[in-house]
Amino acid sequence: MKQLKAQYIGLITGGLMIAASLFSFYVLKLPVESNFQLLIYLIFSAGIVWSLINSFTFDTDKKSFKDYFAVGFKTFVIVALLMAVFTYIFFSIHTDFRDTKIAENNKLLLAEGNHLPQEIEENAKQLKKLFLPIMVSSAVFRYLIIGALISAVGAGFLSNKKAKENKTI
């Protein structure tokens, strides 16, 4: 079996995540914020772990924590980039999700009774402008944090395992 570069594993993982997202939305007709998102995160996690194990298996060099973390980093940065582009395109096309969230927010503000109708309308306009940047930045931030955590845990485990193997040899 041939070793894949971490970047290619990131491309494959991101592609699978996008395919699963589209499948859940268009085929299964699930809402954007469904429990199916857990499967997307599972694919993301599996891609990073695959990249780390791939490096552990094929690289015979002495590797440290930073070497393994760098492999995970290369993978999750590519995935984060792909998911940022996907999020931007998806929510640019599906403005109904944005409109639904703004309508829900308007209902909440009306129910509070502390806001004038003009304030609620102005707030809705602001939310409409900010919705796409907020969605993209939250997706990027989420994938970067989760990716860093998985890479750090995996790098710690694999560098410790490699050190133990080197002691027994």
Side-chain angles (χ1 to χ4, degrees), residues 21-22 25-26 30-34 37 83-101 127-140 142-143:
S21 295
L22 293 173
F25 188 76
Y26 290 112
L30 294 173
V32 174
E33 296 175 326
S34 70
Q37 281 294 85
M83 292 309 289
V85 171
F86 171 72
T87 302
Y88 179 82
I89 293 169
F90 184 84
F91 286 114
S92 293
I93 294 170
H94 297 284
T95 56
D96 52 322
F97 182 77
R98 175 196 66 200
D99 297 338
T100 302
K101 289 297 180 185
L127 284 176
K128 202 170 196 175
K129 285 183 202 173
L130 296 174
F131 184 80
L132 201 52
I134 288 171
M135 293 306 290
V136 170
S137 62
S138 69
V140 168
R142 199 174 327 129
Y143 288 115

Side-chain angles (χ1 to χ4, degrees), residues 91-125:
F91 286 114
S92 293
I93 294 170
H94 297 284
T95 56
D96 52 322
F97 182 77
R98 175 196 66 200
D99 297 338
T100 302
K101 289 297 180 185
I102 291 172
E104 288 173 8
N105 187 57
N106 289 348
K107 276 186 193 175
L108 289 173
L109 291 175
L110 274 173
E112 281 181 7
N114 299 340
H115 304 280
L116 297 172
Q118 298 91 337
E119 289 176 321
I120 294 172
E121 186 62 34
E122 187 60 36
N123 184 46
K125 288 179 187 175

Side-chain angles (χ1 to χ4, degrees), residues 69-90:
F69 185 81
V71 168
F73 180 83
K74 290 174 188 174
T75 303
F76 77 74
V77 164
I78 296 293
V79 173
L81 176 66
L82 288 173
M83 292 309 289
V85 171
F86 171 72
T87 302
Y88 179 82
I89 293 169
F90 184 84

